[in-house]
Amino acid sequence: MTMTMVKIHSLFFVLIIVLFFSCGSEIESKDSPGETILGYVDPFIGTGGHGHTYPGATAPFGRIQPSPDNGITGWDWCSGYHVSDSIISGFGQLHLSGTGIGDLTDVLLMPATEKVDVTLFGSGRDTLPYTSKFSHANEKASPGYYQVFLEDPEIDVELTANDYVAYHRYTYKNKEEVSSFILDLGYEVNWDKATGSTTQLENDTLISGYRFSKGWARNQKVFFVIETSRPIKYYSLAVDGVAMQDTNTVTGTKTGGQFYFDGHKGSVELKVAVSSVGIENAKMNLKLYGSQSFDEVRLETENSWNSLLDKIHIETPVDSLKTIFYTSLYHTQVAPTLFGDANGEFRLQNDSITKAQGFHMYSTLSLWDIFRAQTPLLGILDSELVNDMVQSMLTYYDQSGVLPVWVLSGNETGTMPGYHSVSIIAEAYLKGIRDYDTDKAFEAMKKTMMGDERGLAPYKEFGYIPYDIMDQSVSMSLELAYNDWCMGQVAKEMGKKQDYEYFNERSRAYQNFHDPNSGFLRGKSSDGATFHEPFDPKVANHIEDTDYTEGNAWQHSWYVLHDVEGLIELHGGNEPFSKMVEQLFTESSELKGDNVSADISGLIGQYAHGNEPSHHIAYMFNKAGQPWRTQYWAREILNSQYTTQPDGLSGNEDCGQMSAWYVMSAIGMYPMNPASLEYEIGSPLFKKSTIKLPNNRTFVISAPDTSDENRYVQSVMLNGEPLNRTYVRHSEIVSGGTLDFVMGPRPNKVWAVAPE
């Protein structure tokens, strides 16, 4: 999860959701359930609870994401929308999928039928003059399409998008009222604050301008153009709470206006293009990608989604599992997002303009989250996109001198510990994804990991980060240790022996924290001998006064992705290690602390599936000679932490990671250590999963007898030969073939229990 400053615990919203579903109403997301893959995708999954997803329209990894915004400032409105709400304030063009910090929602549009007070633009929701009630019964969403009926002005709103242009269609139902729409560039939610804007009516069908803001992205610059299908007959503009007369342009901190069409009842289409570079680039994006009609773009985007989702075909008699799976697969391909314009140009956080040559530039890089399962999944389904992500990260390195951590709109947010750009580049390189300057990539990785920022100075000095020097010392050290191991593997592959030995040795930093008396990884002081006291493994303070990031000792004491065997040895062997991991799942779920992190959710015992540091733990039993425990707990997580309801995600979606865990685990394997190029075998949920690979190859996972009862692996065949190990190699998957499971109701305590 991304770090959060606000916790929302509201019984009111919980009651709304409970009442909503107990009344038997359902949010419609598909017109023809079961007929196509798209019919199984429900974008409302994740819009409840702490999922923080948005239901609006986007093309796969698209630059622009038109979606409804409720106008509430709060943690559960980080995407702009939460299913518990019944008010829509407008439709912003840019949104984040499932993060823990609210930003974007730029360039807010809202249709209207009455003249409103433009001097109130940019105010809080309670004083905005153009909000409307809506009902979930009159709301639909599917990949690339969103529709809602606004009750107060009686307007039907439809949204779609392609890679670069958002399409709005407003159908005005009341023939007695005037048809118009609002543009509010002062609209703000959560961390986002407008710092400057311009609204200009260039002609009777074209509005242009910009919105500059400061928030999570500290230098967010969005230039835009809006083209209307009907001419604008008259308008009213405002700047910083003052109505302006006799001008077609206003510039200030918060600007906007109301634009009126001739006539009343009927439809109007708006096309919106954005750019980080300038208005002319936004016009270029509109010209190149805005020539089609609303319905043509909707169909084209739906076809794009269908092609991507069809890359994994599952067979199961349970339709709800198809809904969860294909919605998850959809969410794994919403972010990262295109950031360069159609000509490749984009703006960096220092305001320099550069151009991507031979690759697509991406932002919304939630690297701490997605390195675990989303990028491994994309490495199977779309290696070209992973290659573009690496090139994008190297471009950010060119500007800042270090590899990125969490990039939003070209801005480094510095959110979350470690440098998982290193992990992702290493994984790509080791998988043979190398259409970039590999020497430069190694230089960038090494320079980043040899720096002094983000805890690296004490980490290099002591071999770990002491708790008396920095908060979150254990988590920060464990993340850097994994980055070191990844760095070492690339050095080894490149024949750089000295670098390999140095980083491989540094990757053992986790050993400094092991407390042989308790078994936990605990904060240690700079004297190298004193553990942090007092100590309670259930204490989970958020950000400050803690040795752990968004978690506690129970959750973070297993964060050794790269050397599970070494961690097992510290515990005294397979049996004591497995016993303590089992206790993690069966311990009481009590959390302690003065400021418990809201990110700790989806608890099974002390295991927290709602946050990423726990995601690999169930698969660690494989390395301890007890794979049946992996099979049991992987299936428990699949069954208990994902549903078809809006609160069907147990924690933040986090730009695809929460869903990627489901996709990988449901087909029966998970990248516990992504850069190892191995996928640990779990418990396949479907009778058959077919992964469609390039060059007409397929990798088929067959488990015909799998069921809720038959969750245990009895035997496995890889390409017709017995497989007596608990993992499948990346090379075996991408080469194509078959993985056949025999499943049963009782554990097979003989299969794959010995080291290979």
Side-chain angles (χ1 to χ4, degrees), residues 620-641:
M620 299 179 87
F621 291 110
N622 278 356
K623 298 296 186 185
Q626 298 188 14
W628 64 89
R629 294 191 187 277
T630 285
Q631 296 151 28
Y632 176 83
W633 288 113
R635 187 64 74 92
E636 283 295 295
I637 299 165
L638 285 165
N639 290 343
S640 66
Q641 301 300 306

Side-chain angles (χ1 to χ4, degrees), residues 510-628:
Y510 74 91
Q511 296 176 354
N512 292 285
F513 298 116
H514 184 255
D515 174 10
N517 294 321
S518 68
F520 292 105
L521 300 184
R522 297 178 52 188
K524 184 174 283 188
S525 70
S526 52
D527 66 15
T530 308
F531 285 113
H532 199 174
E533 297 288 352
F535 174 71
D536 186 329
K538 293 184 178 180
V539 170
N541 287 326
H542 189 63
I543 300 179
E544 297 177 350
D545 190 29
T546 178
D547 294 329
Y548 310 98
T549 300
E550 297 180 356
N552 59 24
W554 267 116
Q555 290 133 25
H556 284 265
S557 291
W558 318 103
Y559 199 87
V560 185
L561 312 181
H562 58 290
D563 189 14
V564 180
E565 293 86 350
L567 185 62
I568 290 171
E569 186 176 344
L570 288 179
H571 278 263
N574 288 345
E575 194 57 40
F577 174 84
S578 296
K579 182 178 180 180
M580 189 168 174
V581 178
E582 184 77 10
Q583 186 182 351
L584 167 76
F585 288 98
T586 57
E587 184 73 19
S588 77
S589 296
E590 177 189 17
L591 297 173
K592 300 178 181 179
D594 297 327
N595 182 24
V596 175
S597 176
D599 296 286
I600 305 174
S601 58
L603 288 168
I604 303 175
Q606 285 289 313
Y607 172 89
H609 192 70
N611 208 10
E612 280 70 17
S614 287
H615 277 190
H616 69 287
I617 299 176
Y619 291 89
M620 299 179 87
F621 291 110
N622 278 356
K623 298 296 186 185
Q626 298 188 14
W628 64 89

Side-chain angles (χ1 to χ4, degrees), residues 432-445:
I433 302 172
R434 302 179 183 179
D435 190 16
Y436 47 86
D437 187 336
T438 55
D439 289 333
K440 177 183 176 180
F442 185 83
E443 167 206 295
M445 296 165 73

